[in-house]
mmCIF file of all heavy atoms in Angstrom:
data_model
loop_
_atom_site.group_PDB
_atom_site.id
_atom_site.type_symbol
_atom_site.label_atom_id
_atom_site.label_comp_id
_atom_site.label_asym_id
_atom_site.label_seq_id
_atom_site.Cartn_x
_atom_site.Cartn_y
_atom_site.Cartn_z
ATOM 1 N N LEU Q 268 -3.305 35.293 25.193
ATOM 2 C CA LEU Q 268 -4.320 35.909 26.057
ATOM 3 C C LEU Q 268 -3.678 36.511 27.299
ATOM 4 O O LEU Q 268 -2.678 36.001 27.794
ATOM 5 C CB LEU Q 268 -5.340 34.851 26.526
ATOM 6 C CG LEU Q 268 -6.176 34.151 25.466
ATOM 7 C CD1 LEU Q 268 -6.945 32.979 26.089
ATOM 8 C CD2 LEU Q 268 -7.155 35.120 24.818
ATOM 9 N N THR Q 269 -4.283 37.585 27.803
ATOM 10 C CA THR Q 269 -3.843 38.156 29.072
ATOM 11 C C THR Q 269 -5.045 38.284 30.007
ATOM 12 O O THR Q 269 -6.181 38.067 29.614
ATOM 13 C CB THR Q 269 -3.168 39.530 28.880
ATOM 14 O OG1 THR Q 269 -4.018 40.327 28.076
ATOM 15 C CG2 THR Q 269 -1.815 39.390 28.208
ATOM 16 N N GLU Q 270 -4.752 38.665 31.249
ATOM 17 C CA GLU Q 270 -5.742 38.601 32.319
ATOM 18 C C GLU Q 270 -6.970 39.502 32.121
ATOM 19 O O GLU Q 270 -7.989 39.261 32.756
ATOM 20 C CB GLU Q 270 -5.074 38.943 33.651
ATOM 21 C CG GLU Q 270 -4.394 40.314 33.608
ATOM 22 C CD GLU Q 270 -3.799 40.737 34.947
ATOM 23 O OE1 GLU Q 270 -3.965 40.034 35.939
ATOM 24 O OE2 GLU Q 270 -3.168 41.810 34.955
ATOM 25 N N GLU Q 271 -6.894 40.507 31.239
ATOM 26 C CA GLU Q 271 -8.053 41.405 31.057
ATOM 27 C C GLU Q 271 -9.330 40.644 30.742
ATOM 28 O O GLU Q 271 -10.415 41.087 31.078
ATOM 29 C CB GLU Q 271 -7.846 42.385 29.890
ATOM 30 C CG GLU Q 271 -6.812 43.435 30.097
ATOM 31 C CD GLU Q 271 -5.470 42.962 29.602
ATOM 32 O OE1 GLU Q 271 -5.293 42.745 28.413
ATOM 33 O OE2 GLU Q 271 -4.601 42.783 30.471
ATOM 34 N N VAL Q 272 -9.190 39.504 30.051
ATOM 35 C CA VAL Q 272 -10.391 38.763 29.637
ATOM 36 C C VAL Q 272 -11.193 38.264 30.831
ATOM 37 O O VAL Q 272 -12.338 37.856 30.685
ATOM 38 C CB VAL Q 272 -10.026 37.558 28.731
ATOM 39 C CG1 VAL Q 272 -9.456 38.037 27.413
ATOM 40 C CG2 VAL Q 272 -9.063 36.607 29.429
ATOM 41 N N LEU Q 273 -10.594 38.303 32.025
ATOM 42 C CA LEU Q 273 -11.286 37.785 33.200
ATOM 43 C C LEU Q 273 -12.278 38.775 33.808
ATOM 44 O O LEU Q 273 -13.018 38.425 34.724
ATOM 45 C CB LEU Q 273 -10.257 37.372 34.251
ATOM 46 C CG LEU Q 273 -9.579 36.055 33.875
ATOM 47 C CD1 LEU Q 273 -8.177 35.987 34.440
ATOM 48 C CD2 LEU Q 273 -10.413 34.879 34.343
ATOM 49 N N ALA Q 274 -12.308 39.991 33.280
ATOM 50 C CA ALA Q 274 -13.155 41.035 33.871
ATOM 51 C C ALA Q 274 -14.610 40.604 34.011
ATOM 52 O O ALA Q 274 -15.302 41.056 34.907
ATOM 53 C CB ALA Q 274 -13.043 42.326 33.072
ATOM 54 N N GLY Q 275 -15.096 39.725 33.143
ATOM 55 C CA GLY Q 275 -16.494 39.281 33.233
ATOM 56 C C GLY Q 275 -16.682 37.991 34.017
ATOM 57 O O GLY Q 275 -17.748 37.400 33.988
ATOM 58 N N TYR Q 276 -15.659 37.543 34.721
ATOM 59 C CA TYR Q 276 -15.710 36.306 35.516
ATOM 60 C C TYR Q 276 -16.061 35.077 34.669
ATOM 61 O O TYR Q 276 -16.721 34.163 35.162
ATOM 62 C CB TYR Q 276 -16.737 36.413 36.657
ATOM 63 C CG TYR Q 276 -16.419 37.409 37.750
ATOM 64 C CD1 TYR Q 276 -16.937 38.700 37.712
ATOM 65 C CD2 TYR Q 276 -15.627 37.060 38.839
ATOM 66 C CE1 TYR Q 276 -16.673 39.618 38.727
ATOM 67 C CE2 TYR Q 276 -15.362 37.963 39.858
ATOM 68 C CZ TYR Q 276 -15.892 39.239 39.794
ATOM 69 O OH TYR Q 276 -15.642 40.125 40.807
ATOM 70 N N ASP Q 277 -15.653 35.053 33.401
ATOM 71 C CA ASP Q 277 -15.945 33.892 32.558
ATOM 72 C C ASP Q 277 -14.994 32.752 32.943
ATOM 73 O O ASP Q 277 -13.778 32.861 32.819
ATOM 74 C CB ASP Q 277 -15.740 34.286 31.086
ATOM 75 C CG ASP Q 277 -16.108 33.161 30.129
ATOM 76 O OD1 ASP Q 277 -16.150 31.987 30.554
ATOM 77 O OD2 ASP Q 277 -16.348 33.458 28.944
ATOM 78 N N THR Q 278 -15.591 31.638 33.409
ATOM 79 C CA THR Q 278 -14.759 30.544 33.934
ATOM 80 C C THR Q 278 -13.990 29.795 32.837
ATOM 81 O O THR Q 278 -13.101 29.016 33.149
ATOM 82 C CB THR Q 278 -15.608 29.531 34.733
ATOM 83 O OG1 THR Q 278 -16.668 29.067 33.891
ATOM 84 C CG2 THR Q 278 -16.195 30.176 35.973
ATOM 85 N N ASN Q 279 -14.335 30.024 31.571
ATOM 86 C CA ASN Q 279 -13.537 29.406 30.501
ATOM 87 C C ASN Q 279 -12.127 29.994 30.438
ATOM 88 O O ASN Q 279 -11.248 29.442 29.785
ATOM 89 C CB ASN Q 279 -14.218 29.567 29.135
ATOM 90 C CG ASN Q 279 -15.229 28.462 28.894
ATOM 91 O OD1 ASN Q 279 -15.276 27.473 29.631
ATOM 92 N ND2 ASN Q 279 -16.040 28.622 27.872
ATOM 93 N N PHE Q 280 -11.928 31.121 31.099
ATOM 94 C CA PHE Q 280 -10.593 31.720 31.149
ATOM 95 C C PHE Q 280 -9.872 31.378 32.451
ATOM 96 O O PHE Q 280 -8.796 31.895 32.727
ATOM 97 C CB PHE Q 280 -10.677 33.242 30.999
ATOM 98 C CG PHE Q 280 -11.216 33.692 29.665
ATOM 99 C CD1 PHE Q 280 -12.417 34.375 29.578
ATOM 100 C CD2 PHE Q 280 -10.512 33.435 28.496
ATOM 101 C CE1 PHE Q 280 -12.924 34.794 28.347
ATOM 102 C CE2 PHE Q 280 -11.005 33.852 27.263
ATOM 103 C CZ PHE Q 280 -12.208 34.528 27.189
ATOM 104 N N LYS Q 281 -10.483 30.541 33.260
ATOM 105 C CA LYS Q 281 -9.852 30.174 34.539
ATOM 106 C C LYS Q 281 -8.919 28.994 34.301
ATOM 107 O O LYS Q 281 -9.360 27.918 33.880
ATOM 108 C CB LYS Q 281 -10.928 29.814 35.566
ATOM 109 C CG LYS Q 281 -10.336 29.417 36.914
ATOM 110 C CD LYS Q 281 -11.411 29.200 37.961
ATOM 111 C CE LYS Q 281 -10.785 28.693 39.248
ATOM 112 N NZ LYS Q 281 -11.782 28.489 40.306
ATOM 113 N N VAL Q 282 -7.650 29.191 34.571
ATOM 114 C CA VAL Q 282 -6.646 28.178 34.257
ATOM 115 C C VAL Q 282 -5.490 28.342 35.245
ATOM 116 O O VAL Q 282 -5.287 29.417 35.808
ATOM 117 C CB VAL Q 282 -6.183 28.357 32.774
ATOM 118 C CG1 VAL Q 282 -5.448 29.670 32.563
ATOM 119 C CG2 VAL Q 282 -5.355 27.177 32.286
ATOM 120 N N ASN Q 283 -4.762 27.242 35.465
ATOM 121 C CA ASN Q 283 -3.617 27.300 36.369
ATOM 122 C C ASN Q 283 -2.390 26.695 35.684
ATOM 123 O O ASN Q 283 -2.444 25.549 35.281
ATOM 124 C CB ASN Q 283 -3.924 26.523 37.655
ATOM 125 C CG ASN Q 283 -2.831 26.695 38.684
ATOM 126 O OD1 ASN Q 283 -2.111 27.680 38.683
ATOM 127 N ND2 ASN Q 283 -2.680 25.715 39.553
ATOM 128 N N PRO Q 284 -1.257 27.423 35.585
ATOM 129 C CA PRO Q 284 -1.093 28.812 35.992
ATOM 130 C C PRO Q 284 -2.081 29.730 35.275
ATOM 131 O O PRO Q 284 -2.568 29.407 34.201
ATOM 132 C CB PRO Q 284 0.348 29.143 35.597
ATOM 133 C CG PRO Q 284 0.882 27.987 34.865
ATOM 134 C CD PRO Q 284 -0.047 26.859 34.971
ATOM 135 N N PRO Q 285 -2.346 30.883 35.889
ATOM 136 C CA PRO Q 285 -3.376 31.772 35.352
ATOM 137 C C PRO Q 285 -2.876 32.616 34.180
ATOM 138 O O PRO Q 285 -1.669 32.773 33.995
ATOM 139 C CB PRO Q 285 -3.674 32.682 36.548
ATOM 140 C CG PRO Q 285 -2.392 32.756 37.291
ATOM 141 C CD PRO Q 285 -1.729 31.421 37.125
ATOM 142 N N LEU Q 286 -3.806 33.169 33.434
ATOM 143 C CA LEU Q 286 -3.448 34.137 32.396
ATOM 144 C C LEU Q 286 -2.766 35.311 33.079
ATOM 145 O O LEU Q 286 -3.213 35.756 34.129
ATOM 146 C CB LEU Q 286 -4.693 34.600 31.641
ATOM 147 C CG LEU Q 286 -5.456 33.493 30.914
ATOM 148 C CD1 LEU Q 286 -6.698 34.063 30.228
ATOM 149 C CD2 LEU Q 286 -4.576 32.771 29.896
ATOM 150 N N ARG Q 287 -1.676 35.780 32.486
ATOM 151 C CA ARG Q 287 -0.860 36.810 33.146
ATOM 152 C C ARG Q 287 -1.002 38.153 32.446
ATOM 153 O O ARG Q 287 -1.982 38.419 31.786
ATOM 154 C CB ARG Q 287 0.599 36.360 33.170
ATOM 155 C CG ARG Q 287 0.833 34.986 33.816
ATOM 156 C CD ARG Q 287 0.796 35.022 35.322
ATOM 157 N NE ARG Q 287 1.217 33.757 35.912
ATOM 158 C CZ ARG Q 287 1.221 33.518 37.211
ATOM 159 N NH1 ARG Q 287 0.830 34.430 38.071
ATOM 160 N NH2 ARG Q 287 1.607 32.344 37.673
ATOM 161 N N GLU Q 288 0.050 38.967 32.555
ATOM 162 C CA GLU Q 288 -0.027 40.336 32.046
ATOM 163 C C GLU Q 288 0.664 40.461 30.692
ATOM 164 O O GLU Q 288 1.363 39.559 30.256
ATOM 165 C CB GLU Q 288 0.585 41.285 33.081
ATOM 166 C CG GLU Q 288 -0.178 41.213 34.397
ATOM 167 C CD GLU Q 288 0.457 41.997 35.535
ATOM 168 O OE1 GLU Q 288 1.165 42.968 35.247
ATOM 169 O OE2 GLU Q 288 0.233 41.622 36.693
ATOM 170 N N LYS Q 289 0.475 41.613 30.081
ATOM 171 C CA LYS Q 289 1.020 41.844 28.746
ATOM 172 C C LYS Q 289 2.538 41.599 28.687
ATOM 173 O O LYS Q 289 3.052 40.985 27.759
ATOM 174 C CB LYS Q 289 0.699 43.290 28.320
ATOM 175 C CG LYS Q 289 1.135 43.655 26.916
ATOM 176 C CD LYS Q 289 0.218 43.038 25.861
ATOM 177 C CE LYS Q 289 0.815 43.200 24.490
ATOM 178 N NZ LYS Q 289 -0.096 43.644 23.480
ATOM 179 N N GLU Q 290 3.253 42.067 29.690
ATOM 180 C CA GLU Q 290 4.714 41.912 29.620
ATOM 181 C C GLU Q 290 5.130 40.449 29.773
ATOM 182 O O GLU Q 290 6.179 40.044 29.276
ATOM 183 C CB GLU Q 290 5.416 42.815 30.626
ATOM 184 C CG GLU Q 290 5.106 42.551 32.078
ATOM 185 C CD GLU Q 290 6.003 43.396 32.991
ATOM 186 O OE1 GLU Q 290 6.253 44.583 32.641
ATOM 187 O OE2 GLU Q 290 6.464 42.874 34.011
ATOM 188 N N ASP Q 291 4.310 39.666 30.453
ATOM 189 C CA ASP Q 291 4.578 38.226 30.529
ATOM 190 C C ASP Q 291 4.382 37.588 29.158
ATOM 191 O O ASP Q 291 5.198 36.793 28.705
ATOM 192 C CB ASP Q 291 3.641 37.575 31.552
ATOM 193 C CG ASP Q 291 3.877 38.095 32.953
ATOM 194 O OD1 ASP Q 291 5.018 37.979 33.435
ATOM 195 O OD2 ASP Q 291 2.939 38.635 33.559
ATOM 196 N N LEU Q 292 3.275 37.969 28.506
ATOM 197 C CA LEU Q 292 2.988 37.442 27.169
ATOM 198 C C LEU Q 292 4.139 37.765 26.198
ATOM 199 O O LEU Q 292 4.591 36.888 25.458
ATOM 200 C CB LEU Q 292 1.660 38.026 26.679
ATOM 201 C CG LEU Q 292 1.194 37.674 25.274
ATOM 202 C CD1 LEU Q 292 -0.318 37.470 25.259
ATOM 203 C CD2 LEU Q 292 1.569 38.744 24.267
ATOM 204 N N LEU Q 293 4.624 38.995 26.271
ATOM 205 C CA LEU Q 293 5.713 39.380 25.364
ATOM 206 C C LEU Q 293 6.991 38.593 25.671
ATOM 207 O O LEU Q 293 7.717 38.174 24.767
ATOM 208 C CB LEU Q 293 5.981 40.888 25.465
ATOM 209 C CG LEU Q 293 4.832 41.781 24.978
ATOM 210 C CD1 LEU Q 293 5.132 43.246 25.263
ATOM 211 C CD2 LEU Q 293 4.560 41.566 23.487
ATOM 212 N N ALA Q 294 7.236 38.349 26.965
ATOM 213 C CA ALA Q 294 8.427 37.580 27.348
ATOM 214 C C ALA Q 294 8.315 36.127 26.887
ATOM 215 O O ALA Q 294 9.307 35.507 26.485
ATOM 216 C CB ALA Q 294 8.625 37.640 28.862
ATOM 217 N N ILE Q 295 7.111 35.585 26.937
ATOM 218 C CA ILE Q 295 6.878 34.212 26.458
ATOM 219 C C ILE Q 295 7.176 34.157 24.951
ATOM 220 O O ILE Q 295 7.848 33.244 24.464
ATOM 221 C CB ILE Q 295 5.408 33.784 26.714
ATOM 222 C CG1 ILE Q 295 5.103 33.714 28.217
ATOM 223 C CG2 ILE Q 295 5.077 32.472 26.005
ATOM 224 C CD1 ILE Q 295 5.665 32.556 28.964
ATOM 225 N N GLN Q 296 6.697 35.156 24.219
ATOM 226 C CA GLN Q 296 6.945 35.182 22.772
ATOM 227 C C GLN Q 296 8.438 35.276 22.485
ATOM 228 O O GLN Q 296 8.955 34.589 21.611
ATOM 229 C CB GLN Q 296 6.191 36.357 22.138
ATOM 230 C CG GLN Q 296 4.667 36.174 22.212
ATOM 231 C CD GLN Q 296 3.888 37.284 21.524
ATOM 232 O OE1 GLN Q 296 4.441 38.348 21.237
ATOM 233 N NE2 GLN Q 296 2.617 37.033 21.257
#
Side-chain angles (χ1 to χ4, degrees):
Chain Q
L268 298 170
T269 50
E270 56 176 356
E271 291 91 65
V272 294
L273 285 151
Y276 293 95
D277 184 340
T278 55
N279 275 349
F280 296 115
K281 180 174 175 179
V282 66
N283 187 25
L286 299 178
R287 305 282 189 183
E288 299 173 26
K289 183 75 191 225
E290 62 173 39
D291 297 302
L292 177 142
L293 294 174
I295 295 286
Q296 293 183 344

